[in-house]
């Protein structure tokens, strides 16, 4: 799961040009002033964000679904439901850690510009998609018990 989450963060940072670099700073400022360039970056981030969120979501479904099928949890319907809060806490923990890293990177130069804001928004949306996919699958699997 973590191995899928990290590439999402990095790829969206690259697409939004939010990775700190002195050589790209002038180009980044030009992009921020150009509405068409910002729209292109936003479309690219949405495209990659949705794709990577679904890949990460399916990995999370596989991981937590496997936990739900362990002998300890599959004994009773109530035990299968117990995996849902565990998955939620795991997902929220990863979200908080990645948010802290994004804030650290975005504020590395002392301010958070529009490209970095877009990066943060798209990654948060992708993380929410991952959580939604995971929790809905785990709930439906528990109810099917």
């Amino acid at each position: 799961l973590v191995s899928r989450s990290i590439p999402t963060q990095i790829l969206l940072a690259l697409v939004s040009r939010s990775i700190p670099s002195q050589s790209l700073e002038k180009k980044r400022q030009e992009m921020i002033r150009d509405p068409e360039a910002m729209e292109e970056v936003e479309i690219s981030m949405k495209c990659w964000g949705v794709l990577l969120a679904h890949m990460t979501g399916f990995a999370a479904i596989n991981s937590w679904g496997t936990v739900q099928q362990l002998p300890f949890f599959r004994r009773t319907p109530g035990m299968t439901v117990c995996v849902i809060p565990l998955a939620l806490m795991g997902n929220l923990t990863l979200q908080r850690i990645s948010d802290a890293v994004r804030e650290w990177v975005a504020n590395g130069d002392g301010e958070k510009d529009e490209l970095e804001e877009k990066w943060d928004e798209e990654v948060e949306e992708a993380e929410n998609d991952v959580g939604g996919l995971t929790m809905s699958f785990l709930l439906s699997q528990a109810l099917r018990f």
Side-chain angles (χ1 to χ4, degrees):
L1 180 60
V2 174
S3 66
R4 298 273 189 223
S5 181
I6 293 171
T8 301
Q9 307 283 330
I10 294 170
L11 184 60
L12 289 178
L14 291 171
V15 170
S16 69
R17 286 139 181 102
S18 293
I19 303 273
S21 170
Q22 294 296 330
S23 61
L24 292 177
E25 190 57 34
K26 184 178 179 185
K27 183 172 172 88
R28 291 179 78 245
Q29 294 307 319
E30 290 171 7
M31 288 179 71
I32 290 171
R33 290 189 293 270
D34 182 4
E36 289 179 18
M38 284 299 291
E39 185 176 349
E40 185 178 318
V41 167
E42 189 170 351
I43 289 169
S44 292
M45 282 194 302
K46 284 187 183 297
C47 171
W48 285 106
V50 169
L51 178 66
L52 294 168
H54 282 83
M55 289 172 58
T56 306
F58 296 139
I61 285 170
N62 185 41
S63 298
W64 289 108
T66 301
V67 171
Q68 212 172 26
Q69 295 301 315
L70 291 174
F72 179 77
F73 290 109
R74 70 176 178 202
R75 286 187 284 178
T76 66
M79 290 301 290
T80 61
V81 173
C82 289
V83 175
I84 298 170
L86 293 174
L88 180 63
M89 295 311 297
N91 191 35
L92 290 175
T93 301
L94 281 175
Q95 285 180 350
R96 296 302 155 252
I97 292 169
S98 69
D99 187 48
V101 170
R102 282 193 313 277
E103 290 299 321
W104 179 74
V105 170
N107 292 314
D109 59 357
E111 65 178 303
K112 192 172 184 179
D113 64 31
E114 195 172 343
L115 286 169
E116 293 161 338
E117 286 285 343
K118 295 288 184 197
W119 171 45
D120 194 31
E121 288 172 19
E122 292 305 322
V123 173
E124 285 177 0
E125 190 169 323
E127 289 171 337
N128 290 338
D129 287 350
V130 170
L133 285 168
T134 306
M135 298 311 131
S136 63
F137 177 82
L138 293 175
L139 180 60
S140 66
Q141 187 162 280
L143 292 175
R144 285 184 52 206
F145 191 96

